[in-house]
Amino acid sequence: LLAAAPPTSADCLGCHEDQDLKDPRGRSVYVDPARQRTSVHDGLDCVSCHEGLSEYPHPDPVPAASCASCHDEPGAQHAQSVHAPRKGRPDSPGCVSCHGHGHAILGASDPQSPVAKKNLPGTCATCHADPEFLARHQIPFARPVEAYERSVHGRANAAGNGAAAARSDRPLRAG
């Protein structure tokens, strides 16, 4: 008995390149082929990340991509960090919170990447510039992103000094 081949990326894009395509909950499931081609994941088949898909068309829901299935070391570091999901912290960030959507992730060395060192203050500000977030997580700084940006390290980073210290240079260990 021969097993059916999993769907190819071309099969997936046959539907998912439709900008109006929505899942049953009404969320867009559009994949921009041009952004995918510039992503660090270009060249991977969709089923490399969306494991378990064996039928085309696929049943809903599609298995969520698991970054840790390939990126096990960063996944383990995240699980031990202050950013790891914890009970009572529904807004803990996942991979896409900082790196962007899996179909458009750029390498950290790409100047357009949200995790390029020069862009990190803005990426971190997505959460850390929100006073309600700071209070909810008992972060003892009123404006941590602005404090970094005004520091000697933040000014050097903004000037393009890749050796400038940043909080992301060392692991963010939990408690």
Side-chain angles (χ1 to χ4, degrees):
L1 213 85
L2 294 175
T8 66
S9 293
D11 292 334
C12 298
L13 284 173
C15 295
H16 288 274
E17 68 182 349
D18 176 354
Q19 294 183 14
D20 297 324
L21 187 64
K22 307 268 191 260
D23 71 10
R25 293 180 300 244
R27 296 180 307 175
S28 175
V29 289
Y30 166 66
V31 175
D32 182 342
R35 289 191 72 191
Q36 174 71 25
R37 283 190 297 277
T38 62
S39 163
V40 296
H41 295 128
D42 183 42
L44 295 177
D45 284 325
C46 300
V47 295
S48 297
C49 298
H50 296 281
E51 298 172 335
L53 288 179
S54 57
E55 301 174 43
Y56 173 75
H58 59 76
D60 282 321
V62 171
S66 170
C67 303
S69 65
C70 290
H71 304 284
D72 53 344
E73 187 175 331
Q77 289 172 347
H78 180 265
Q80 298 301 312
S81 80
V82 297
H83 291 125
R86 304 263 191 279
K87 186 175 182 178
R89 293 170 80 186
D91 54 358
S92 297
C95 303
V96 300
S97 302
C98 302
H99 293 272
H101 195 280
H103 300 127
I105 290 178
L106 301 172
S109 62
D110 186 308
Q112 299 301 312
S113 172
V115 296
K117 196 166 198 174
K118 196 170 182 177
N119 298 334
L120 280 174
T123 300
C124 297
T126 302
C127 297
H128 291 272
D130 177 359
E132 290 178 16
F133 176 90
L134 298 174
R136 192 168 50 252
H137 294 282
Q138 300 174 350
I139 296 172
F141 302 102
R143 292 180 173 84
V145 176
E146 291 90 340
Y148 171 75
E149 291 175 327
R150 286 191 309 267
S151 75
V152 66
H153 304 295
R155 290 191 317 268
N157 183 33
N161 181 343
R167 183 64 184 94
S168 62
D169 292 336
R170 55 192 173 94
L172 298 168
R173 300 275 180 233

